[in-house]
């Protein structure tokens, strides 16, 4: 062994006089993911004090010999004796070079197979007692045939493998020892390390050759398949390059001749546009296919226009374009308060949605449905949400839609086909995540052309709208990032499966005080701007606004109130344009008729209920709550009961139930027993041109009849709503918020309601909107009569 002054060991001369196979105790060198065979060389890098001390010990004490064994589980960090295969190779350290970074390079030469008998030491490194494990080499006709077949397969394998030089085959032919041939080939082929270990462990030469032949055959098949795939890919690339080269040449020739037509320029423009847009791969492939089709069609063909329009739609849609959400909750609250007066419950729900989006951006957006009468701000709420989020806002109206294609689009086979309203609106928005408002979802129709409500099920379902398929596009579009908001006047006419996909937020209407606040903070400033007036030129007093609310509008929302304010401002604008507005115009209750004409609505509760037989009821309509009057009259007759006022079947049944209850309780109520034998009763609900139905007028009808029979007027400041049963129970009804607000608008101070509606009533009372009203909760009709007529049950 020669050692340089710098500590590098350059070369170790093999001592011919040593008998290595007599060594029975060796240092064990574990290997990961590599193996050494007898007669082969293995270069390897080593690092770490433990492994370098092992090498130094082998050099100094074991004639440069090592026992090299494969680790079974390469992922295991700390190796135990049981983690090693017990069949390995005795190898000599042929060369070692220490590097400046503390690592070293070794070249090991495998000598012969060995087997571990027992481990003598495991610390600081493995030392084991080993024994030689010679192979059984029997040269028979079978082994001769297997060896020849192996050499033939090796020649083919080497010719297919670019990283193995062809000279290796000549070396294999000149090797006399068949075991060396087997081991050299096994070290060259790419098979799993445990499969190479199997070949090492097999004792019989014949079995080694069989396994090697099997691995060589498999490798050759894989190499041939890979070469075939590469060859086909190369041919395809050459074809594409050739076509591109020829097209470029053709383009250059046509440019020189000045023969480029509009169609080619159009196709080239579309291809350039396609390459500059971020599209899903499926969409890009389809768009390119259609552009290539367009290239082959004459411009005069009708199909040319169809394909061109389709390509424009595909390229114009925002497939991967979206805006970043602004999730500043304080800013959102400020915008909602700025745009809308009151509506605290609705604002709170919107802020909760924004908070969830801030904490979990990937959460699915809910489908909000604002339900309430016209003019309460449903659409403007959607605009405020979009402004708070800094998203684009789009709106479509679904009222009267009867064709399913309005939602899903028409197939391209139809003349004049277009995408549905969803895709059209997204093109206008320019982003894939706008705030999308669908107005009047309760007014969708259906006919022989399909059911648009069913088509909306896919659009509004967060679980499946990530791949919405428009019939015109024929490509999936992701709608999952859109914030859908729908509006309706009533939830009763919305299809049940569609209603199940939406979160209902009810906006019942406004009180007079709330309307006054809305007029001062929103409506009047907006109308001043619309009519080019300044606050110094026209002043509207609060009392005048209240008179507009009570005497000219009386609605759940504020739409009609804004129209009346606009009428006043138009007259002021006319005076200003004529040069006659020299001093501020002050609108007072006293001069309001000069601008709006005579009052349209008069207080009529006291007037209508001054006589016996009239009771005030509360009804729910699509335009909000309303006050109705039920009138009863008696006349001589023979047990007749007449109902008028355009009543529906349910309302007629409620009237009959009320009469039956009163007849059954006539004695307790102090009514003459023969009264029903001598008189007919006529029950009428005024405004007969308007259809009316529902069970909630039951207690009102019963009260009106008892008031008539007892000849005792109903209290003037009281209204009621509830369903009656034949046993005299009062059942809960719907639309409580709308009805109570209608009572407040009409100046009613006390309202009788079913006790089982307590939850809704407490919610209304908590809002502080009805602090000056008294709510009387009842379970039976006797309690109703006691409150309305002071009758003891």
């Amino acid at each position: 062994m020669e050692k340089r002054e710098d500590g590098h060991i350059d070369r170790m001369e093999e001592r011919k006089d040593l008998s290595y196979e007599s060594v029975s105790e060796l240092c064990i060198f574990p290997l990961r993911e590599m193996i050494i065979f007898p007669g082969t060389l293995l270069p390897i890098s080593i690092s770490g004090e433990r492994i370098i001390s092992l090498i130094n010990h082998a050099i100094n004490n074991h004639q440069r010999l090592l026992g090299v064994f494969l680790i079974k589980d390469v992922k295991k960090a700390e190796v135990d004796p049981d983690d090693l295969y017990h069949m390995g190779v005795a190898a000599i350290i042929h060369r070692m070079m220490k590097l400046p970074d503390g690592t070293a390079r070794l070249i090991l030469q495998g000598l012969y197979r060995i087997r571990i008998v027992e481990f003598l030491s495991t610390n600081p490194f493995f030392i084991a007692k080993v024994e030689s494990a010679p192979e059984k080499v029997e040269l028979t006709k079978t082994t001769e045939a297997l060896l020849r077949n192996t050499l033939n397969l090796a020649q083919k394998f080497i010719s297919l493998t670019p990283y193995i030089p062809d000279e290796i085959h000549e070396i294999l032919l000149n090797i006399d020892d068949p075991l060396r041939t087997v081991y050299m080939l096994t070290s060259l082929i790419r098979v799993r390390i445990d499969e190479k270990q199997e070949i090492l462990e097999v004792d019989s030469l014949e079995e080694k050759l069989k396994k090697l032949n099997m691995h060589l055959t498999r490798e050759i098949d894989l190499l041939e398949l890979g070469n075939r795939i590469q060859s086909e890919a190369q041919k395809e690339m050459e074809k594409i390059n050739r076509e591109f080269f020829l097209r470029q040449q053709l383009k250059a020739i046509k440019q020189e001749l000045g023969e480029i037509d509009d169609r080619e320029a159009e196709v080239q423009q579309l291809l350039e546009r396609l390459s500059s847009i971020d599209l899903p791969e499926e969409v890009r492939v389809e768009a390119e296919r259609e552009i290539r089709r367009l290239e082959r069609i004459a411009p005069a063909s009708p199909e040319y226009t169809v394909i061109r329009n389709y390509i424009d739609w595909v390229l114009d849609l925002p497939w991967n374009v979206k805006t970043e959400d602004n999730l500043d909750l304080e800013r959102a609250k400020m915008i909602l308060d700025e745009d809308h007066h009151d509506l605290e419950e609705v604002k709170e729900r919107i802020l909760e949605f924004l908070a969830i989006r801030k904490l979990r951006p990937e959460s699915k957006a809910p489908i909000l449905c604002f339900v309430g009468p016209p003019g309460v701000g449903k659409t403007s709420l959607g605009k405020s949400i979009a402004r708070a989020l800094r998203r684009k806002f789009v709106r479509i109206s679904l009222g009267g839609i009867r064709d399913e294609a309005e939602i899903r689009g028409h197939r391209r086979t139809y003349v004049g086909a277009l995408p549905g309203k969803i895709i059209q609106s997204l093109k206008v928005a320019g982003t894939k995540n706008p705030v999308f408002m669908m107005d009047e979802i309760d007014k969708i129709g259906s006919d022989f052309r399909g059911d648009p409500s069913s088509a909306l099920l896919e659009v509004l379902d967060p679980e499946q709208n990530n791949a919405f398929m428009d019939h015109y596009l024929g490509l999936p579009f992701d709608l999952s990032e859109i914030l859908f908001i729908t509006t309706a006047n009533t939830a009763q006419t919305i299809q049940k499966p569609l209603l199940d996909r939406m979160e209902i937020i009810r906006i019942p209407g406004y009180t007079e005080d709330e309307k006054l606040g809305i007029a001062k903070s929103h409506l009047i400033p907006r109308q001043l701007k619309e009519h080019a007036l300044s606050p110094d030129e026209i002043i509207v007093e609060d009392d005048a606004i209240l008179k507009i609310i009570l005497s000219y509008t009386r609605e759940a929302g504020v739409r009609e109130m804004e129209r009346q304010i606009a009428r006043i401002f138009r007259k002021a604008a006319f005076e200003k344009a004529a040069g006659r507005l020299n001093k501020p115009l002050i609108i007072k209750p006293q001069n309001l008729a000069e601008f709006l004409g005579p009052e349209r609505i008069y207080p009529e509760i006291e007037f209508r209920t001054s006589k016996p037989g009239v009771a005030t009821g509360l009804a729910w309509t699509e335009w909000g709550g309303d006050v109705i009057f039920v009138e009863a009259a008696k006349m001589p007759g023979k047990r007749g009961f007449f109902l008028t006022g355009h009543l529906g079947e349910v309302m007629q049944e409620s009237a009959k139930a009320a009469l039956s209850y009163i007849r059954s309780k006539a004695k307790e109520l102090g009514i003459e027993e023969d009264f029903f034998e001598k008189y007919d009763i006529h029950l009428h609900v005024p405004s007969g041109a308007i259809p009316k139905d529902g069970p909630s007028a039951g207690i009102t009808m019963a009260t009106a009849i008892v008031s008539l029979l007892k000849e005792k007027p109903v209290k003037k400041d009281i209204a009621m709503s509830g369903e009656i049963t034949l046993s005299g129970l009062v059942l809960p009804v719907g639309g409580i918020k709308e009805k109570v607000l209608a009572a407040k608008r009409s100046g009613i101070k006390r309202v009788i309601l079913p006790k089982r509606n307590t939850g809704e009533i407490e919610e209304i009372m908590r809002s502080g909107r009805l602090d000056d009203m008294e709510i009387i909760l009842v379970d039976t009709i006797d309690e109703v009569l006691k409150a309305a007529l002071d009758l003891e049950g």
Side-chain angles (χ1 to χ4, degrees):
M1 179 174 66
E2 297 179 0
K3 186 174 181 180
R4 300 205 315 240
E5 293 181 359
D6 58 3
H8 285 66
I9 301 173
D10 287 334
R11 191 165 172 268
M12 299 178 181
E13 296 294 340
E14 186 175 344
R15 293 166 56 187
K16 301 296 184 182
D17 58 337
L18 289 177
S19 176
Y20 292 120
E21 294 195 23
S22 63
V23 178
S24 62
E25 180 182 315
L26 289 177
C27 295
I28 304 301
F29 185 32
L31 277 182
R32 295 178 188 269
E33 297 184 340
M34 59 179 64
I35 193 169
I36 188 171
F37 294 104
T40 62
L41 296 175
L42 178 67
I44 187 170
S45 297
I46 61 171
S47 62
E49 294 181 2
R50 183 177 180 184
I51 195 68
I52 290 177
S53 63
L54 182 148
I55 298 300
N56 290 331
H57 186 84
I59 292 172
N60 297 326
N61 300 287
H62 296 286
Q63 306 175 31
R64 308 189 313 278
L65 281 181
L66 288 170
V68 183
F69 291 85
L70 182 65
I71 299 172
K72 296 177 182 177
D73 185 0
V74 296
K75 297 180 180 179
K76 193 166 184 181
E78 296 294 330
V79 180
D80 298 326
D82 293 338
D83 295 325
L84 299 177
Y85 287 100
H86 280 218
M87 181 69 77
V89 173
I92 188 171
I93 302 171
H94 188 66
R95 187 173 181 179
M96 178 178 176
M97 180 185 297
K98 292 184 179 179
L99 301 176
D101 60 359
T103 62
R105 293 280 296 174
L106 294 178
I107 295 180
L108 302 179
Q109 181 179 359
L111 299 178
Y112 54 89
R113 284 198 323 174
I114 57 175
R115 183 184 295 108
I116 294 175
V117 177
E118 63 174 326
F119 281 90
L120 302 176
S121 174
T122 58
N123 192 18
F125 40 76
F126 294 156
I127 298 176
K129 182 179 180 181
V130 299
E131 63 181 8
S132 176
E135 292 94 332
K136 298 176 182 178
V137 180
E138 296 180 3
L139 296 176
T140 63
K141 289 183 178 180
T142 302
T143 55
E144 182 69 23
L146 285 170
L147 184 59
R148 289 185 181 182
N149 187 59
T150 299
L151 292 173
N152 290 334
L153 290 173
Q155 182 180 6
K156 192 171 185 179
F157 169 73
I158 292 168
S159 65
L160 291 171
T161 309
Y163 62 85
I164 300 178
D166 294 337
E167 292 79 5
I168 295 294
H169 185 251
E170 296 296 328
I171 295 172
L172 289 170
L173 292 176
N174 293 324
I175 296 175
D176 295 332
D177 186 356
L179 277 176
R180 287 190 63 193
T181 302
V182 170
Y183 288 141
M184 179 177 283
L185 276 174
T186 305
S187 64
L188 291 175
I189 60 177
R190 292 179 174 175
V191 296
R192 295 198 317 269
I193 196 70
D194 59 327
E195 293 176 338
K196 291 186 177 184
Q197 178 70 22
E198 286 179 6
I199 293 178
L200 176 66
E201 292 185 353
V202 172
D203 292 333
S204 168
L205 174 62
E206 183 178 331
E207 289 301 318
K208 289 179 187 287
L209 287 168
K210 286 180 181 179
K211 287 183 178 291
L212 180 58
N213 279 343
M214 179 186 69
H215 292 314
L216 279 172
T217 303
R218 185 180 65 184
E219 285 297 301
I220 290 169
D221 290 342
L222 291 174
L223 288 168
E224 288 179 339
L225 178 60
N227 289 343
R228 185 163 63 250
I229 293 172
Q230 185 177 0
S231 176
E232 291 174 357
Q234 184 66 28
K235 288 179 181 178
E236 186 65 27
M237 288 299 298
E238 289 175 357
K239 179 182 177 183
I240 293 172
N241 292 336
R242 183 171 175 273
E243 287 182 358
F244 176 77
F245 178 71
L246 291 174
R247 288 183 187 280
Q248 291 299 109
Q249 280 190 323
L250 183 61
K251 181 179 177 181
I253 293 170
K254 287 188 175 183
Q255 282 180 340
E256 289 294 326
L257 296 175
E259 294 181 355
I260 294 182
D261 56 21
D262 293 338
R263 182 182 62 173
E264 291 180 358
E266 186 176 27
V267 169
Q268 187 62 33
Q269 183 182 8
L270 289 173
L271 288 172
E272 292 174 359
R273 187 177 167 197
L274 175 64
S275 63
S276 65
I277 299 175
D278 181 17
L279 296 175
E281 188 59 29
E282 181 181 359
V283 177
R284 183 176 299 280
V285 170
E286 180 64 19
E288 187 171 357
R289 189 177 71 85
E290 292 295 326
I291 293 173
R292 295 303 181 190
R293 281 185 63 201
L294 189 71
E295 191 176 18
R296 298 191 295 269
I297 298 174
S301 171
E303 191 177 359
Y304 185 91
T305 304
V306 173
I307 296 175
R308 178 57 205 265
N309 288 339
Y310 176 79
I311 294 170
D312 283 338
W313 271 104
V314 171
L315 298 183
D316 286 342
L317 287 174
W319 297 94
N320 287 321
V321 180
K322 61 181 180 180
T323 56
E324 292 296 326
D325 288 346
N326 186 320
L327 299 174
D328 185 345
L329 300 182
E330 291 299 325
R331 176 179 175 276
K333 187 177 186 304
M334 181 190 70
I335 289 174
L336 292 173
D337 290 338
E338 180 183 316
D339 292 350
H340 295 275
H341 185 83
D342 196 59
L343 299 180
E344 296 303 324
E345 180 184 349
V346 180
K347 294 176 185 177
E348 182 181 351
R349 177 62 188 89
I350 293 169
L351 291 173
E352 288 171 354
F353 160 70
L354 297 180
I356 294 171
R357 291 285 294 181
K358 185 174 183 178
L359 296 175
R360 191 169 181 266
E362 69 276 10
S363 63
K364 295 177 181 177
I367 313 300
L368 303 178
C369 181
F370 297 148
V371 177
V376 295
K378 300 187 294 294
T379 302
S380 59
L381 267 173
K383 293 179 180 178
S384 298
I385 294 171
R387 189 157 76 92
L389 282 170
R390 287 186 180 162
R391 289 193 184 189
K392 295 293 184 67
F393 178 78
V394 291
R395 173 185 172 273
I396 63 172
S397 178
L398 301 177
I401 289 181
R402 294 179 176 273
D403 190 352
E404 179 191 350
E406 293 286 337
I407 305 298
R408 290 188 180 274
H410 301 80
R411 300 189 186 278
R412 280 190 285 163
T413 52
Y414 294 102
V415 177
L418 283 173
K421 286 182 176 290
I422 308 297
I423 297 299
Q424 290 182 37
S425 300
L426 289 174
K427 178 183 175 182
V428 173
T431 65
K432 64 181 291 189
N433 65 334
V435 174
F436 201 123
M437 175 154 278
M438 297 181 175
D439 275 334
E440 313 296 348
I441 197 170
D442 57 326
K443 297 178 178 60
I444 298 178
S446 63
D447 60 13
F448 64 92
R449 291 168 291 185
D451 183 3
S453 294
S454 299
L456 280 174
L457 292 176
E458 179 186 1
V459 176
L460 299 180
D461 191 339
E463 297 298 329
Q464 57 180 322
N465 64 6
N466 60 340
F468 171 69
M469 189 73 74
D470 185 273
H471 289 161
Y472 180 82
L473 290 180
L475 295 167
F477 196 99
D478 185 4
L479 305 180
S480 61
E481 297 185 57
I482 298 175
L483 175 55
F484 284 105
I485 300 175
T486 63
T487 70
N489 295 133
T490 173
Q492 295 177 354
T493 56
I494 302 176
Q495 192 183 92
K496 294 301 181 185
L498 186 58
L499 190 64
D500 182 59
R501 285 163 170 77
M502 300 185 292
E503 179 180 343
I504 303 298
I505 299 178
R506 299 190 182 276
I507 309 175
Y510 301 105
T511 63
E512 283 74 20
D513 292 339
E514 290 167 350
K515 288 182 180 180
L516 176 62
I518 293 170
K520 292 171 66 176
S521 59
H522 297 286
L523 304 185
I524 290 177
R526 184 160 63 206
Q527 292 304 321
L528 284 172
K529 184 178 179 181
E530 290 288 331
H531 294 87
L533 296 169
S534 70
D536 297 331
E537 293 173 324
I538 182 169
I539 300 170
V540 184
E541 294 183 350
D542 291 357
D543 290 342
I545 298 173
L546 286 172
K547 188 168 183 179
I548 293 173
I549 295 169
L550 295 172
S551 301
Y552 288 90
T553 59
R554 193 167 292 179
E555 56 178 342
V558 294
R559 191 170 292 166
E560 184 61 29
M561 180 174 68
E562 186 172 13
R563 292 194 189 102
Q564 298 302 325
I565 293 172
R567 285 182 64 187
I568 297 172
F569 282 35
R570 283 199 302 271
K571 295 183 185 299
F574 179 79
E575 293 295 319
K576 180 180 179 180
R580 294 193 291 266
L581 194 63
N582 299 320
K583 59 180 181 179
L585 181 61
I586 301 175
I587 309 299
K588 303 178 180 181
Q590 294 79 5
N591 65 353
L592 196 58
E594 298 176 15
F595 298 91
L596 301 180
E599 297 179 17
R600 300 179 184 180
I601 301 169
Y602 297 94
E604 58 180 350
I605 300 294
E606 184 174 350
F607 171 74
R608 295 288 291 271
T609 58
S610 60
K611 296 180 180 180
V614 182
T616 306
L618 299 173
W620 177 91
T621 70
E622 292 184 8
W623 300 275
D626 200 3
V627 171
I628 63 171
F629 298 96
V630 177
E631 300 178 350
K634 64 181 178 178
M635 63 210 76
K638 297 180 180 180
R639 303 177 64 179
F641 186 52
F642 307 102
L643 297 170
T644 56
H646 208 157
L647 308 183
E649 290 185 7
V650 176
M651 205 163 181
Q652 292 181 34
E653 291 171 358
S654 293
K656 293 174 183 177
L659 180 63
S660 298
Y661 172 78
I662 294 168
R663 289 181 64 184
S664 68
K665 296 288 185 178
K667 185 175 181 180
E668 290 89 334
L669 293 171
I671 300 171
E672 299 176 15
E673 294 185 7
D674 60 345
F675 177 87
F676 299 101
E677 300 292 335
K678 298 185 297 182
Y679 293 96
D680 293 337
I681 295 178
H682 184 175
L683 198 66
H684 177 66
V685 183
S687 301
I690 301 173
K692 310 170 191 70
D693 202 6
S696 61
I699 64 172
T700 312
M701 292 175 172
T703 304
I705 295 172
V706 173
S707 171
L708 172 72
L709 301 183
K710 297 287 289 183
E711 296 184 354
K712 187 172 185 178
V714 178
K715 293 178 182 178
K716 297 178 176 58
D717 63 344
I718 202 163
M720 61 196 74
S721 179
E723 183 178 357
I724 189 173
T725 68
L726 288 175
S727 60
L729 296 177
V730 178
L731 301 183
V733 291
I736 294 295
K737 288 184 181 180
E738 291 84 352
K739 292 174 181 177
V740 174
L741 288 174
K744 184 175 178 62
R745 287 195 297 270
S746 300
I748 294 170
K749 299 298 182 183
R750 294 190 292 168
V751 178
I752 300 174
L753 294 172
K755 188 174 288 184
R756 290 173 64 184
N757 284 114
T758 300
E760 297 172 76
I761 296 165
E762 288 179 350
E763 183 181 346
I764 302 171
M765 300 306 291
R766 279 198 302 271
S767 67
R769 305 172 74 181
L770 306 173
D771 291 340
D772 57 343
M773 291 189 70
E774 179 185 355
I775 306 296
I776 303 170
L777 302 178
V778 297
D779 275 329
T780 64
I781 190 65
D782 293 337
E783 297 175 54
V784 176
L785 297 177
K786 179 180 179 181
L789 296 169
D790 287 334
L791 294 183
E792 295 296 332

